[in-house]
Amino acid sequence: MPRILDPQDKYYIDNPGRVKAIQAQMHKRGIDVYLGSRIRTMSFVMDTFCPWRSYIVIPPEGQPTYFTFVVDALRVGDETWIDGDHVRAYGPMGGMDQVSAITDFIKDELGIKKGRIGYEDGISAYTAEGNLSHWEYTHFKDALPGFEWVNSHDIIDALSLIKDKGTIERFRTASLIVDEGHKAARAALESGGYRGMTETVIAGIAALAMRKAGSVSEWNFAGLNEISSGFRTGLGACTPPTTKEIQAGEPLMLDFHAMFKLALGDHSHNYLIGPATKRQRWHADNFVAIIQKVIDNYHAGTTPGTLAAMMMDFAESRGCGDFIQPACEHGIGLFGDEWRIGAIVNPDLPYWTDQDHVYSENEMVVCAMQYAAPEENIGFRYENDIVITKDGCEVLSKYPLGIEEIS
Amino acid sequence: MSDLKEYLGPLWRDEALRRLQSELTPEKMNKVTTSMSNIYKNCPGGVELFLFIACEDGKVTRVETGTGEPPQAEFRIIGNYETFARISRAELGAQKALMTGKLKLKGNLAKALKLAAVSDRLNKVLAQIPTQY
């Protein structure tokens, strides 16, 4: 992605301002240097796609210095906002392994020989979180003997919670790109087009449409575009597409992902491939009503716990409480930030969504709901990026909510 | 009487500068401006030596050798005397020495890789100096 340096650009992010905010927090906590390793930290600070194991060293003032695998350093240097001398590489050479290159840099170039070093540790259900591994931690620690190590990921987590204007604009565009995928999929499925079509093929049709519209990646670690049909719709949340053919009389779930300037479009839409039974229609109507109910209740000041309880009560009132999973969202930010909501680590259940987190204006979540009746070979999923507003929320995918019967 | 020059001695240093300036044009050196210090550990006699080379716009401007702290350079390459000697005798490639950890590089690797070919050209010229190790 080309760097955006013009503050008038609608996708502009004040990256130098972000670094200054991190440095202010470091100062407050007495942290002399910050060693970031998570993908979300790279996206938040570098504002470019950093897929290889990377590290960012943030000094008390001035530009951060980024280290990545040597094969990708020039590309990152070409795209990020920071200058070329602050984009470094590590590689399989004496003195240039990750630990040597970074610790030498801290000691010799930054001139910081001892003090407090912030690093990123924790646990996640998200495969690609990027916390410092035990091996990394012990070897970095051995190479920096004068430092006290302080787990400080919550600095980035807190600063990245409320989305700025440029970030929200990027998400708006990413979501509209996902809608192009859904339009293409819908067109391919209708009028019997689904016959002989596999889940993998419909995933590819959507991917092509989204790429044409400007997506650079289907970004998701759980199967890129996740597709399930028939009994597979009832199996749960992670559904990489298979070569199963889409069949008449089955439900179909299409969960498409597009990435635009590190913003993650994510929208799931469901169909019933006709002819649908009354029971299937009942399940579908329940799910649509639940989605609408949850969306109608988002607003600044509410909490994940409140929304989940309201959703479960509503489902129970419709007689479908057994089929709805008891949560309705997950966190979202720039690439690599796709898991828990809030920045607080709850000691009773660390690194999971804080159910008492109070939403603020311009926070974003993926409104995410799962309905599953595996015994009946049916299930649905809804996901949509939303921006929390003062009195409600802005739903970013504009693809109409509903579960249509198509044949 | 041999006309071999003592490795890293004053005569070798002067010959290195002369050859680098005459044999490497700025075009061959990609018109780079950079500098590097090779730090020689475990030298005969137990001392630590250095070889410092600076280029400006592709012209080799300085070659210095000596003991103790070398001049500030963009890159530092650290290794045993014998490793550097083997590279100079063309018995070991500099890249292989780096990739096997026999040499340690300090500096910006992304930039160093752009200079790998230039560094090879320098080494090839230095390898031609009749040298007493």
Side-chain angles (χ1 to χ4, degrees), chain A residues 70 73-74 84-96 100 104 108-109, chain B residues 74 95 97-114:
Chain A
V70 65
L74 290 178
D85 199 42
H86 288 81
V87 177
R88 303 290 181 94
Y90 63 80
M93 290 186 185
M96 281 296 133
S100 300
D104 283 353
D108 300 339
E109 293 198 47
Chain B
E74 187 173 23
Q95 305 301 329
L98 278 165
M99 300 290 274
T100 54
K102 288 185 169 61
L103 293 180
K104 291 190 189 309
L105 172 69
K106 288 193 176 198
N108 186 339
L109 176 59
K111 196 168 175 191
L113 286 182
K114 288 190 210 165

Side-chain angles (χ1 to χ4, degrees), chain A residues 115-375:
Chain A
R116 282 160 59 85
I117 186 165
Y119 72 108
E120 298 183 330
D121 193 12
I123 191 169
S124 173
Y126 189 58
T127 306
E129 186 76 12
N131 293 307
L132 213 59
S133 72
H134 179 262
W135 199 98
E136 289 169 315
Y137 176 76
T138 48
H139 286 76
F140 276 120
K141 208 171 175 188
D142 286 349
L144 293 170
F147 285 84
E148 179 190 350
W149 288 70
V150 187
N151 191 6
S152 307
H153 64 80
D154 54 313
I155 291 178
I156 308 286
D157 296 353
L159 290 170
S160 57
L161 206 55
I162 307 293
K163 279 23 179 202
D164 54 275
K165 196 165 160 268
T167 300
I168 292 171
E169 281 298 338
R170 294 179 187 197
F171 271 92
R172 286 188 179 118
T173 300
S175 297
L176 294 178
I177 290 172
V178 170
D179 290 353
E180 294 304 309
H182 279 293
K183 286 178 200 166
R186 174 73 175 77
L189 290 165
E190 67 188 2
S191 305
Y194 69 85
R195 290 191 192 96
M197 188 179 286
T198 62
E199 293 173 1
T200 49
V201 167
I202 198 70
I205 288 168
L208 177 60
M210 292 189 292
R211 293 278 178 150
K212 282 180 176 172
S215 171
V216 299
S217 171
E218 289 77 58
W219 68 264
N220 162 289
F221 288 94
L224 304 183
N225 287 332
E226 298 175 72
I227 316 292
S228 55
S229 62
F231 75 97
R232 298 186 70 248
T233 59
L235 296 182
C238 288
T239 50
T242 70
T243 52
K244 178 186 174 307
E245 286 187 7
I246 298 163
Q247 304 283 347
E250 289 188 342
L252 173 65
M253 189 286 295
L254 308 178
D255 181 4
F256 297 153
H257 303 94
M259 185 160 84
F260 177 76
K261 299 187 188 302
L262 299 178
L264 307 175
D266 184 352
H267 179 48
S268 311
H269 192 77
N270 304 272
Y271 294 99
L272 295 172
I273 306 296
T277 66
K278 271 189 174 174
R279 179 71 173 172
Q280 285 175 323
R281 191 70 255 168
W282 178 78
H283 282 307
D285 291 344
N286 283 337
F287 192 54
V288 170
I290 291 166
I291 295 164
Q292 193 61 60
K293 181 77 175 173
V294 170
I295 287 173
D296 289 345
N297 278 275
Y298 269 105
H299 59 86
T302 193
T303 68
T306 307
L307 286 164
M310 179 276 305
M311 178 187 75
M312 293 307 292
D313 287 348
F314 182 70
E316 198 61 24
S317 74
R318 291 183 66 97
C320 62
D322 290 339
F323 307 120
I324 193 81
Q325 306 294 308
C328 55
E329 60 212 330
H330 65 74
I332 200 75
L334 297 177
F335 179 67
D337 178 0
E338 198 214 341
W339 189 234
R340 68 196 179 98
I341 289 165
I344 304 293
V345 178
N346 174 3
D348 296 327
L349 199 57
Y351 294 100
W352 289 89
T353 287
D354 174 10
Q355 294 299 319
D356 296 326
H357 171 74
V358 179
Y359 284 120
S360 301
E361 238 179 309
N362 292 331
E363 269 191 70
M364 287 190 65
V365 297
V366 174
C367 177
M369 282 167 265
Q370 184 83 23
Y371 187 105
E375 298 81 4

